[in-house]
Every structure is written in structure tokens, then in C-alpha cells.
Amino acid sequence: MKKVVEVAGLQKSYGGRGFKAVALKGIDLCINEKDFIAVMGPSGSGKTTLLNILSTIDKASQGTVLIDGMDVSRISNKDLSKLRRDKIGFIFQEYNLLDTMTLQDNIALPLSLNGVSGRICLEQTEELAKMFGLTAHLKKYPYQLSGGQKQRGAICRALITNPQIIFADEPTGALDSASGRELLECMQDVNENRGATILMVTHDPFCASYAKDVFFLSDGSIKCKISRGSSRKEFYDRIIGVETSMGGDFLCE
């Protein structure tokens, strides 16, 4: 199995000599191709910090992060920008669609920035829109779309460059329960049928139950990992059980 992300001895601290807060304490993690991983933990556990470092938004204090075999701390800013553009997809809680562009142009934007021809941009955009039930909405602007439609559009935008990995930060946080379930089913579908590799941070056990594996963080360390069997309901119950045993407040950081 191909390794997409390799993390070794990852540490992150903030502050100086007078005051130092340690957010991550020696994280080791391997994400393989076609994995769908959820990261959970109480508020302040370090899960958002971990996501930010793995997605190259932030830098580690110590340790290494390899993405597709490249050490992100040792490559130039130019190569880092190229890695983000070509190998990483992002799904944010607040969609981050551009209000002045149609949904079609928002989805196609990563390809357009890469100099891909208009014809190919349109073909790939229409293919993804069909898969996510957005064909009738491509000419609409974000303000004309529901939250669920905007978030499905954000998934299309994340997928259009065929990235090595997709990072999702509380992807259902701004959605109602029906739209959230629909989005999670879409994410599960692209993982199982398109082979997308996904790492998702969430505080919601229902959301996490759609992943294949769940890692639990507490006080900056990985405390345990559980894997899904054939039943998502049984997996959900096990996630709740781990939450209960860990205690703490599993809310957004």
C-alpha cells in the first residue's frame, strides 16, 4: 500500500521561555492511499493543530512530515506551493467559495490556475457536478445555493485536481443533519469508489463513524485507534464508548 503521509516524532509548541504551551507531543502517524481517517479529541487536544501541520498551513516545532515522500520542512516555498496545488485538497467548514464566481467557476478554479484548457476544465467540472447532483446548479452563485450544495461544491473543487490527499476540517459543522448526512455519504463514496484518501477532523461521533479508522487525541498525544467493521452503527457505538472513557469536552477547538 502506497504511503501518502508519514509523520514521525511530530511536536508543536507555542510561546517562549517564560511561557510555553505544548500542543503536540511526539505524534507518529502513517496515512496510506485510500484511507479515510477521522481524528477526534476533546477541546484543546491538538486535533486542529495536527490538521494544520499535515496540510502545510502550519509548521511543526520538531519531527518530520512527508507528503508523497517529500519532507515539507525541507522544500522551497515554490515547491511547497506546487505541492499544495497539485497534491492536497481542502474542505473547510465554511465552504470558502468565491461569491463573485458561479459554482462552475469555483469548482474549476484549481484547474484554471494550473493553466488547464477551458474545455478540459468544463468537462471535469461537469463530470464531478453530475456525480454530486449539482449539474442543475452550476450557473448559480454561492448565495443562491443551500449549505449542503455549497459543501458538495467544495468537495468537487477539492477533487478536481485528483489530489494525493484531502484534508477536511469539521466539514459538516455548518450543515443541518440531513445535509450533513448527505455530505458524509458523498465523502464515503469518493473514498470507496474514486479511491480518494481523506483525513477529517471532527468533534462529532456520527461524522467520524463514516471513516474507516478513528484516531483519538488527548493532551497532544494519540491515545488510541479504532477501526470500523461491517456495521457503521456498531462503529458509532464504539466511538461513543471511547469518548465516554476519555471524558472531556469533545467540542470544536
Side-chain angles (χ1 to χ4, degrees):
M1 186 69 70
K2 180 181 178 181
K3 295 178 181 179
V4 177
V5 177
E6 298 173 77
V7 178
L10 189 67
Q11 298 184 38
K12 180 66 177 181
S13 57
Y14 299 95
R17 299 171 71 179
F19 174 79
K20 192 172 184 179
V22 180
L24 297 176
K25 305 173 183 176
I27 299 290
D28 296 316
L29 179 65
C30 182
I31 304 172
N32 294 314
E33 195 173 40
K34 300 182 182 180
D35 277 352
F36 185 175
I37 290 172
V39 177
M40 300 188 72
S43 178
S45 63
K47 57 185 185 292
T48 298
T49 301
L50 177 62
L51 177 73
N52 288 342
I53 293 173
L54 297 188
S55 61
T56 74
I57 293 173
D58 197 2
K59 293 184 177 181
S61 301
Q62 293 184 50
T64 59
V65 177
L66 304 182
I67 298 180
D68 199 28
M70 291 182 285
D71 186 338
V72 299
S73 68
R74 296 181 179 274
I75 61 178
S76 66
N77 287 335
K78 180 179 178 180
D79 287 339
L80 187 59
S81 295
K82 188 175 187 298
L83 182 145
R84 290 190 189 111
R85 185 188 68 200
D86 297 340
K87 298 183 181 297
I88 296 176
F90 295 94
I91 304 172
F92 301 98
Q93 181 175 333
E94 297 299 332
Y95 325 124
N96 286 9
L97 299 178
L98 298 177
D99 292 333
T100 57
M101 300 174 68
T102 64
L103 179 61
Q104 177 176 291
D105 289 339
N106 267 286
I107 294 171
L109 184 60
L111 290 184
S112 300
L113 293 174
N114 282 357
V116 176
S117 71
R119 179 181 60 82
I120 294 176
C121 285
L122 182 60
E123 288 176 355
Q124 295 195 24
T125 298
E126 290 179 343
E127 178 185 345
L128 285 169
K130 183 178 180 181
M131 181 182 303
F132 288 93
L134 294 170
T135 300
H137 305 289
L138 283 175
K139 298 300 183 182
K140 294 180 180 178
Y141 289 85
Y143 73 89
Q144 297 173 303
L145 302 171
S146 69
Q149 289 164 349
K150 285 187 279 191
Q151 195 61 300
R152 280 183 279 139
I155 291 182
C156 292
R157 182 184 57 191
L159 285 169
I160 201 162
T161 58
N162 194 30
Q164 292 287 316
I165 186 167
I166 295 172
F167 293 104
D169 185 9
E170 299 284 359
T172 64
L175 302 178
D176 59 48
S177 58
S179 297
R181 182 189 294 269
E182 185 178 61
L183 179 77
L184 291 165
E185 290 172 353
C186 288
M187 292 177 67
Q188 190 176 55
D189 180 63
V190 298
N191 170 252
E192 293 178 353
N193 297 317
R194 286 180 62 97
T197 305
I198 302 171
L199 183 137
M200 170 177 66
V201 162
T202 181
H203 70 283
D204 182 356
F206 179 77
C207 187
S209 70
Y210 279 82
K212 293 176 179 175
D213 301 290
V214 179
F215 288 82
F216 291 87
L217 265 64
S218 181
D219 296 324
S221 301
I222 294 175
K223 298 303 182 184
C224 69
K225 167 192 172 184
I226 60 174
S227 300
R228 190 178 71 199
S230 58
S231 167
R232 191 182 62 77
K233 174 63 170 63
E234 183 267 343
F235 194 35
Y236 171 80
D237 291 339
R238 288 167 59 209
I239 293 169
I240 293 290
V242 174
E243 275 191 338
T244 302
S245 66
M246 289 178 66
D249 183 13
F250 274 68
L251 296 175
C252 303
E253 293 180 346

